Amino acid sequence: MLAGLLVLMIPLTFAIRRTGARADAPNVPQATRPGYATSDRCEACHPSQYASWHRGYHRTMTTYASPGTVKGAFDNVRLSGGGYDVSLSKTGDSFFAEMIDPLWQYQVDFGQRQPGPGELPPRITRKISMVTGSHHMQAYWIASDVDNAQLSMPFTYLLEDRRWVPRGDVFLHPEEAGRHQIQVWNVSCIRCHATAGQPLAKTQPLASRVGEMGIACEQCHGPGEQHIAANHDPLRRYLLHLGDGVDATIVNPARLSALAGSQVCGQCHSLTDVTDDIETGEGKKYVPGADLHATQPLLSPLHPTPALDKKLADDPLYLKGYFWNDGTIRVSSRDYSGMIESKCMTGGQLGCTSCHSLHESDPVNLLAADKSGDGACAGCHRPIAANPAAHTHHAVGSVGSQCTNCHMPYTVYGLLKGIRNHRIESPRVTGRSGGDEKPNACNLCHVDRSLAWTADALARWYKQPVPPGLVDGNPAAVEWLLSGDAILRAIAAYQFGWVGAMTAAPVKRFVPYLVVALNDPYAAVRYVAGHALHAIDPTIAYDYLAPPEERKRVGDAILARWLAADPANATGAAAINARIIELVGKRDDTPVRAME
């Protein structure tokens, strides 16, 4: 059993009632936490801030199911895969799933129930109660019929692809881990997909509650009841406006120090140790403005703690699911864990709000209007901004001249794609091109070049020492794609379809290597490789969940068309095939789960 799943093993041992009827009013956690007012009561005084938050994706981290929130197809859909069979339907404004009772399945999976001789899994038809996500994908939840535990519907809807896939196939984890087990939202999601969530999972019946569903105003500004009560007095409001405007009854992250303001984001966007009470009891003790590390100390190989030692004793591969071997975070939603290791932040200058703004930005990346492109860096690095080509050695306006491409490359994996790393640092060559060593920015853009080529350029331009033993052999990105561990393979595959690499290198040369990745043992790697091939050639269509023989047929057809496109391709085919055999033979098959 992977350690990351152990937190789900709460004692859901209550009896299962069988009514045979649809649950028209399922129990769901409600916004009933004392001290929290909910965002609706913020709108009257802060209409523009409310509007900017409302159009964003934090709000929809988790919402109650309704026609306005459900984006998946529910019109008489039959789903099968990943060890589950589910039928979806819609009646009026309600959405339903007919499936094995998820509570029964959960109890069997975690040893809380032993099926009797000949006992068949009971099937139920249950109303969809909640939805998580609205940007990349949506997960759906079904309420228990005896309390407010929310159990996962075992299929996820991919918004860009407009398709249902088994829940386990949106994550990067070993196929030998087996069927993706039923999740309990109340303990696996409530901490960061709701405002001020309290699992209260030790009570029977389970009775979780939240300040509000999704990431709402009070998650960043603190509980608002006191603030609202105090500001019913118009004289108080007037005096605040005449003075410095600081209101002690609420927290404004923009007025905090860079570190304290960043911890507001870090309460969710980091890897921290959490107590049993946070996980299954009263929930997080942190409120905006406090010291996050006092109640949720960071877990990092760069700062060993007894808590980390315990994690490693339970699971020796624990770090591999989160970090590169130099201590840099490599999975999504942990940006604070990356940024806090950056010299820009340790110098006291940089914080999350240096670049991001929830209220004055596009909802996709939440970059403030003047922080897109190189604007985020130019304020501190004025000499470089005045003559960028002298520093970057790339033409102004090119991919290689953009600060983030060199200092924040896509070395984080999550959401079936590469994501920028927030440990801001300069490119360097690590010395190997396989295994789990962090890829460097130069070879993630110049996917046709070797590590030796990069080392030579960095030595000439920045006087970096050249690691011993490098030879001008295979392109590093190709080695990462075929020889790295699963996370490295996924990131390399993403790069071949990234627009930056496609402008810097002849990516069509590498179609045969991506075709090999279409049969990677990890479904997520296959997904990313298929999308990279589609970016290179939009006529390519590939199903990463198709049976192996179908995937091979499609891969063979892609390769045949590639060979026919240019005589030079056929000429070098034998050498490419030999290289593929060599690289796949060196593949790092250590089991790894990207703990997003």
Side-chain angles (χ1 to χ4, degrees):
M1 178 63 64
L2 292 169
L5 295 179
L6 295 181
V7 297
L8 304 182
M9 296 179 64
I10 61 174
L12 298 179
T13 56
F14 36 78
I16 305 174
R17 290 204 305 266
R18 310 267 176 244
T19 64
R22 289 174 172 172
D24 293 323
N27 299 322
V28 294
Q30 299 295 323
T32 56
R33 183 165 180 179
Y36 286 82
T38 77
S39 56
D40 287 345
R41 295 176 65 191
C42 303
E43 182 180 11
C45 293
H46 306 282
S48 64
Q49 290 87 352
Y50 179 91
S52 58
W53 162 77
H54 196 272
R55 72 169 182 262
Y57 296 110
H58 279 82
R59 177 179 63 86
T60 54
M61 284 291 104
T62 299
T63 56
Y64 300 118
S66 72
T69 61
V70 171
K71 297 189 176 183
F74 272 81
D75 293 327
N76 299 317
V77 176
R78 179 67 184 265
L79 304 174
S80 182
Y84 296 96
D85 292 289
V86 178
S87 294
L88 304 177
S89 60
K90 179 183 178 184
T91 301
D93 289 343
S94 297
F95 303 84
F96 297 89
E98 187 277 328
M99 57 184 285
I100 292 175
D101 188 318
L103 176 57
W104 184 93
Q105 188 68 70
Y106 177 94
Q107 293 173 340
V108 170
D109 286 347
F110 290 102
Q112 298 173 2
R113 168 184 289 271
Q114 183 65 40
E119 180 182 358
L120 296 176
R123 297 188 71 87
I124 52 94
T125 297
R126 192 75 53 78
K127 186 177 178 180
I128 299 296
S129 56
M130 302 194 317
V131 182
T132 294
S134 68
H135 189 188
H136 302 287
M137 58 186 74
Q138 283 197 325
Y140 298 88
W141 305 91
I142 296 168
S144 161
D145 61 353
V146 294
D147 65 4
N148 73 7
Q150 305 298 301
L151 305 162
S152 57
M153 198 273 282
F155 287 84
T156 295
Y157 192 75
L158 300 181
L159 299 176
E160 180 185 351
D161 298 65
R162 296 182 179 180
R163 69 174 294 191
W164 290 100
V165 298
R167 183 94 176 110
D169 290 326
V170 301
F171 298 110
L172 190 153
H173 66 94
E175 289 195 345
E176 59 265 28
R179 177 176 48 77
H180 193 267
Q181 293 165 326
I182 297 294
Q183 294 174 288
V184 181
W185 181 89
N186 309 59
V187 292
S188 63
C189 307
I190 193 172
R191 192 168 72 248
C192 286
H193 285 259
T195 297
Q198 292 185 298
L200 303 175
K202 299 175 182 179
T203 63
Q204 294 297 323
L206 187 150
S208 301
R209 62 184 178 182
V210 298
E212 187 170 352
M213 281 298 176
I215 306 305
C217 306
E218 292 163 296
Q219 187 77 349
C220 300
H221 296 281
E225 281 283 11
Q226 182 185 359
H227 175 69
I228 292 172
N231 285 289
H232 275 304
D233 180 357
L235 178 60
R236 183 180 191 275
R237 299 198 303 269
Y238 183 71
L239 292 174
L240 280 172
H241 282 296
L242 284 179
D244 60 10
V246 176
D247 188 341
T249 64
I250 204 72
V251 173
N252 183 348
R255 295 181 182 272
L256 299 174
S257 68
L259 176 60
S262 297
Q263 289 180 356
V264 173
C265 306
Q267 62 178 305
C268 290
H269 293 280
S270 63
L271 178 64
T272 65
D273 185 38
V274 294
T275 63
D276 181 62
D277 192 48
I278 292 175
E279 197 71 45
T280 61
E282 293 289 330
K284 292 188 295 188
K285 304 299 186 291
Y286 171 82
V287 292
D291 178 14
L292 175 67
H293 301 179
T295 55
Q296 292 176 232
L298 287 179
L299 291 174
S300 168
L302 297 176
H303 311 283
T305 63
L308 180 60
D309 292 340
K310 184 177 186 306
K311 296 282 187 184
L312 290 170
D314 293 338
D315 178 8
L317 295 177
Y318 176 80
L319 290 176
K320 196 174 181 68
Y322 290 104
F323 296 94
W324 297 106
N325 62 347
D326 70 346
T328 302
I329 202 78
R330 66 172 181 162
V331 292
S332 64
S333 300
R334 318 287 180 183
D335 307 289
Y336 176 79
S337 289
M339 189 175 66
I340 200 169
E341 305 298 345
S342 166
K343 290 182 179 179
C344 297
M345 186 173 186
T346 54
Q349 301 296 315
L350 185 77
C352 298
T353 56
S354 299
C355 302
H356 296 284
S357 170
L358 189 112
H359 298 299
E360 300 173 357
S361 62
D362 180 277
V364 175
N365 292 314
L366 294 178
L367 286 172
D370 60 341
K371 302 302 182 182
S372 58
D374 295 336
C377 305
C380 292
H381 300 280
R382 289 187 176 89
I384 292 174
N387 185 12
H391 173 73
T392 68
H393 299 274
H394 288 73
V396 174
S398 68
V399 172
S401 183
Q402 297 173 19
C403 304
T404 52
N405 288 337
C406 295
H407 300 286
M408 297 178 66
Y410 293 92
T411 59
V412 168
Y413 172 82
L415 299 169
L416 296 170
K417 64 177 185 176
I419 297 172
R420 291 198 183 279
N421 202 313
H422 281 63
R423 184 180 182 179
I424 304 168
E425 57 184 353
S426 298
R428 62 185 180 87
V429 173
T430 58
R432 290 195 301 127
S433 56
D436 65 348
E437 290 204 59
K438 185 177 66 179
N440 68 78
C442 303
N443 292 105
L444 286 175
C445 195
H446 296 280
V447 294
D448 58 332
R449 299 294 188 171
S450 68
L451 287 180
W453 178 87
T454 296
D456 176 69
L458 294 178
R460 285 186 286 108
W461 296 342
Y462 307 113
K463 311 302 180 187
Q464 285 194 21
V466 176
L470 291 181
V471 295
D472 193 14
N474 294 323
V478 170
E479 295 223 6
W480 295 332
L481 175 67
L482 299 184
S483 296
D485 75 356
I487 294 179
L488 180 53
R489 299 199 301 271
I491 287 174
Y494 175 80
Q495 288 301 119
F496 282 98
W498 175 54
V499 63
M502 294 173 73
T503 61
V507 293
K508 287 186 178 179
R509 283 176 43 193
F510 302 102
V511 166
Y513 304 99
L514 285 167
V515 167
V516 174
L518 294 182
N519 283 298
D520 194 276
Y522 285 70
V525 177
R526 300 197 299 267
Y527 178 96
V528 179
H531 277 61
L533 281 166
H534 181 75
I536 294 170
D537 180 357
T539 66
I540 291 175
Y542 168 76
D543 182 358
Y544 80 119
L545 298 180
E549 59 274 13
E550 174 62 14
R551 300 201 307 265
K552 183 179 186 305
R553 185 194 67 77
V554 172
D556 289 345
I558 295 170
L559 189 57
R561 188 164 61 181
W562 179 83
L563 288 168
D566 187 338
N569 293 340
T571 301
I576 291 173
N577 192 53
R579 188 176 301 127
I580 287 172
I581 293 172
E582 173 198 359
L583 294 176
V584 172
K586 297 191 299 183
R587 187 173 66 201
D588 181 354
D589 285 321
T590 305
V592 58
R593 177 186 172 103
M595 302 298 289
E596 300 180 52

